[in-house]
Amino acid sequence: MATLTPRSLRTRARILDAALDLFERQGYDATTVAQVAAAAGVTQMTFFRHFPTKDSVLVSDPYDPLLARAVAAQPRDLGPVERVRRGLLAALGTIEPVEDATAERRVRLVAAHPALRAAVAAATADTERAITDALVADGVPRLDAAVAAAACLGACTAALLAMPDLPDRPDPTDGGRHLGAVVTRALELLGESP
Amino acid sequence: MATLTPRSLRTRARILDAALDLFERQGYDATTVAQVAAAAGVTQMTFFRHFPTKDSVLVSDPYDPLLARAVAAQPRDLGPVERVRRGLLAALGTIEPVEDATAERRVRLVAAHPALRAAVAAATADTERAITDALVADGVPRLDAAVAAAACLGACTAALLAMPDLPDRPDPTDGGRHLGAVVTRALELLGESP
DNA sequence: CCACGAATGTTAGTGACTAACATTGTGTCG
DNA sequence: CGACACAATGTTAGTCACTAACATTCGTGG
């Protein structure tokens, strides 16, 4: 799991490539960790040293503190849902360009498999709690905070996972910007209630 | 898995009781399926015939079609989010009394364990898709429908899972009615956006 | 060239889940 | 009331994700 030295980064990349390849070719379930490891010229053990679980190759979520801060920075006189909504929209511009090239491949694989959507939910739980705690620390009742965070993050996740099913998909070369646009749309939808 | 004959119902109940007991006493992870089966006077095999997975003892979600219909029955001139919101509120009164006695024990166990929250998400996915499809069949764009369904269901789930952390817990005898109240509050929160 | 630490390999094990086939119980019908 | 038929359980053997403890190689700096 030590992702510090250049050598480590290379093997990690090899494993990721091999995994995406095999998952796309034979499906996620039909692909064993041993196969992925072999295709990457590596042992099962090494696989698990770089990715804690099989699904962690496809799912990651490193943005917690950033998002929580962006939410807390919104005006206190707004309703909790609106506050999370605007906070996420504000944070989107900051982190979006970081999206790497494999993002869209991963989204497609995850969207296709129910068990993987669950893994995404598990990963999102951390972010959810970070946002909830930030609001609670600001005087928002815990229930309200939890509901607001879950609704907004759920909306974003759903938008991402709905992408492969969408009729129009212009410019498939750069998924990153496209991903951001869809998420923005999701949060805007939450704004126009009636 | 054949839950038809009275005998089958009895063993199923025994397994469920044993599972809740052991999960509460030693924790979910520390309890193996073999232990649960033994405590229920049954084999591992039989456990899996009644519950497809270990977590399915705690997670279930049989309401899909009902909810989807309730959502579709709402006025078409509303925004998708508002439509799902009102649909769920309307359906709540219908199904709430059905909640059985173990509901609150299950909620507490699930809320305590991150991996189980993922299982809930997986179970909710079916309901989510049912609602989404109902809206799409009604002319709502797929993205909008998916976002609305995910936001509202995410809000409800978050409210349920937040319950154990709530300061006031009056009347712990009947969790069912209490559960319904919390979900209702969640959906009302989504209504007051600004 | 050698030593030192990080990265990888090896082995052995646990636990959730599955498949194929044998066995027991339970209700029904003659 | 007894036998038949079928559902429910048991048995066995296996796969796969994941973990722990210890041995080995690789790469870099002295």
Side-chain angles (χ1 to χ4, degrees):
Chain A
M1 203 107 97
T3 319
L4 306 163
T5 136
R7 177 188 174 194
S8 193
L9 288 175
R10 256 180 296 134
T11 47
R12 187 194 151 92
R14 283 214 320 272
I15 294 175
L16 204 158
D17 279 351
L20 288 181
D21 255 36
L22 287 174
F23 290 166
E24 282 167 349
R25 291 222 312 269
Q26 7 173 325
Y28 178 81
D29 284 332
T31 305
T32 75
V33 170
Q35 287 173 352
V36 172
V42 142
T43 307
Q44 243 185 358
M45 221 23 271
T46 301
F47 175 96
F48 285 114
R49 279 202 258 261
H50 286 269
F51 299 93
T53 62
K54 182 184 177 185
D55 45 44
S56 64
V57 177
L58 299 174
V59 177
S60 62
D61 230 21
Y63 309 127
D64 317 9
L66 196 90
L67 296 181
R69 253 180 290 132
V71 168
Q74 299 302 310
R76 274 156 198 73
D77 55 341
L78 295 171
V81 176
E82 186 63 14
R83 224 168 132 192
V84 176
R85 206 179 67 81
R86 294 197 195 173
L88 292 184
L89 275 173
L92 252 184
T94 317
I95 62 177
E96 196 203 319
V98 188
E99 286 297 340
D100 67 273
T102 68
E104 201 170 354
R105 288 172 80 189
R106 292 210 304 256
V107 166
R108 201 170 333 217
L109 280 166
V110 170
H113 201 99
L116 290 174
R117 302 173 82 118
V120 171
T124 313
D126 289 340
T127 305
E128 206 171 310
R129 209 162 41 107
I131 295 178
T132 301
D133 289 348
L135 287 177
V136 169
D138 228 28
V140 178
R142 171 142 239 123
L143 179 60
D144 302 26
V147 166
C152 294
L153 288 178
C156 294
T157 304
L160 286 177
L161 295 183
M163 274 192 58
D165 299 340
L166 257 42
D168 61 321
R169 25 192 30 268
D171 195 3
T173 55
D174 178 25
R177 219 147 285 282
H178 206 233
L179 292 179
V182 170
V183 171
T184 303
R185 171 98 185 97
L187 289 171
E188 279 165 358
L189 262 172
L190 265 188
E192 1 158 318
S193 267
Chain B
M1 201 97 105
T3 318
L4 306 162
T5 136
R7 175 190 175 194
S8 192
L9 288 176
R10 255 180 296 133
T11 46
R12 187 196 151 93
R14 282 213 319 274
I15 294 175
L16 204 157
D17 279 352
L20 288 181
D21 256 36
L22 287 174
F23 289 167
E24 282 166 349
R25 290 220 312 269
Q26 7 174 327
Y28 178 81
D29 283 332
T31 305
T32 75
V33 170
Q35 288 174 351
V36 172
V42 142
T43 308
Q44 244 187 358
M45 223 21 271
T46 301
F47 174 96
F48 284 114
R49 279 201 257 261
H50 287 269
F51 299 93
T53 62
K54 182 183 177 185
D55 46 44
S56 65
V57 178
L58 299 174
V59 177
S60 62
D61 232 20
Y63 309 128
D64 317 8
L66 195 88
L67 295 181
R69 253 180 290 131
V71 168
Q74 299 301 309
R76 274 157 198 72
D77 55 341
L78 295 171
V81 177
E82 186 63 14
R83 224 167 134 192
V84 176
R85 206 178 69 81
R86 293 198 197 174
L88 292 184
L89 275 172
L92 252 184
T94 318
I95 62 176
E96 196 203 321
V98 188
E99 286 297 341
D100 67 273
T102 67
E104 201 171 353
R105 290 171 79 190
R106 292 209 304 256
V107 166
R108 199 168 337 215
L109 281 165
V110 170
H113 201 100
L116 289 175
R117 301 173 82 119
V120 171
T124 314
D126 289 340
T127 305
E128 206 171 309
R129 209 163 40 107
I131 294 179
T132 301
D133 288 347
L135 287 176
V136 169
D138 228 27
V140 178
R142 172 143 238 123
L143 179 61
D144 302 27
V147 167
C152 293
L153 289 178
C156 295
T157 304
L160 286 176
L161 295 184
M163 275 193 58
D165 300 339
L166 257 41
D168 62 320
R169 27 192 28 269
D171 193 3
T173 55
D174 177 25
R177 219 147 285 283
H178 205 233
L179 293 179
V182 169
V183 172
T184 303
R185 172 99 185 92
L187 288 171
E188 279 165 357
L189 262 173
L190 265 188
E192 1 160 317
S193 268

